[in-house]
Amino acid sequence: MFPSVAFRPVRLLVISVVLTAAAMLVAGLGGHLMVGVFLGVGLLLGLLNALLVRRSVESITAREHPLKSSMALNSASRLAIITVLGLIVAYIFRPAGLGVVFGLALFQVLLVAATALPVWKKLRSGAGSDSDADSGVLTASEGTEVRSPSDD
């Protein structure tokens, strides 16, 4: 099971909306409703970044000879744009706009957890079962050969 299989943008959108509503409620009770709104903007910017990552990985790896340099350049430029956009919003709408930066950071934690947990559960439950071989899911043991010391 590859991490890309575990990436569920709709689930992340729902979680982001719920977190935004909770942040707006808590921030509104504290008299700073816009902090919650900007936190939601940061979460949505993070989701946009994750969708763009998936799209760029699919397009670069679909090439006959994908280059690491094109992936690195794409990642660096995309992250620079998202970061600058977040910092501009944080500066223009300070101090409440700082919620965008926190939203971006929170989304990264959410993305790692939402992607890694299903993979981790699959590995713990025994990724080498026969049902995986029938479903086309590559397991950790496929493609490896057992070598003995006499093979050298």
Side-chain angles (χ1 to χ4, degrees):
M1 173 185 254
F2 294 104
S4 61
V5 174
F7 177 64
R8 306 270 190 241
V10 174
R11 179 185 299 167
L12 289 170
L13 176 65
V14 169
I15 293 170
S16 295
V17 168
V18 169
L19 287 174
T20 300
M24 288 175 61
L25 178 67
V26 170
L29 292 174
H32 301 284
L33 178 66
M34 291 308 291
V35 172
V37 171
F38 284 117
L39 185 115
V41 170
L43 287 168
L44 291 178
L45 275 174
L47 181 60
L48 173 67
N49 182 45
L51 291 170
L52 291 174
V53 166
R54 182 173 70 173
R55 192 179 98 203
S56 71
V57 167
E58 288 172 352
S59 68
I60 290 173
T61 57
R63 297 179 189 162
E64 188 173 329
H65 300 289
L67 299 174
K68 290 181 186 178
S69 60
S70 62
M71 182 70 76
L73 182 62
N74 183 286
S75 294
S77 59
R78 187 186 57 259
L79 289 174
I81 291 169
I82 296 284
T83 301
V84 168
L85 185 61
L87 290 174
I88 288 172
V89 170
Y91 181 77
I92 290 174
F93 297 101
R94 65 181 180 268
L98 196 57
V100 170
V101 177
F102 289 114
L104 282 167
L106 179 60
F107 184 82
Q108 293 307 309
V109 172
L110 179 65
L111 178 65
V112 169
T115 305
L117 286 176
V119 174
W120 183 70
K121 286 180 183 178
K122 183 70 172 173
L123 289 174
R124 285 195 50 134
S125 68
S129 69
D130 291 335
S131 63
D132 288 345
D134 294 336
S135 67
V137 175
L138 182 64
T139 62
S141 62
E142 289 179 6
T144 60
E145 297 177 16
V146 178
R147 294 177 45 117
S148 68
S150 64
D151 290 341
D152 293 328

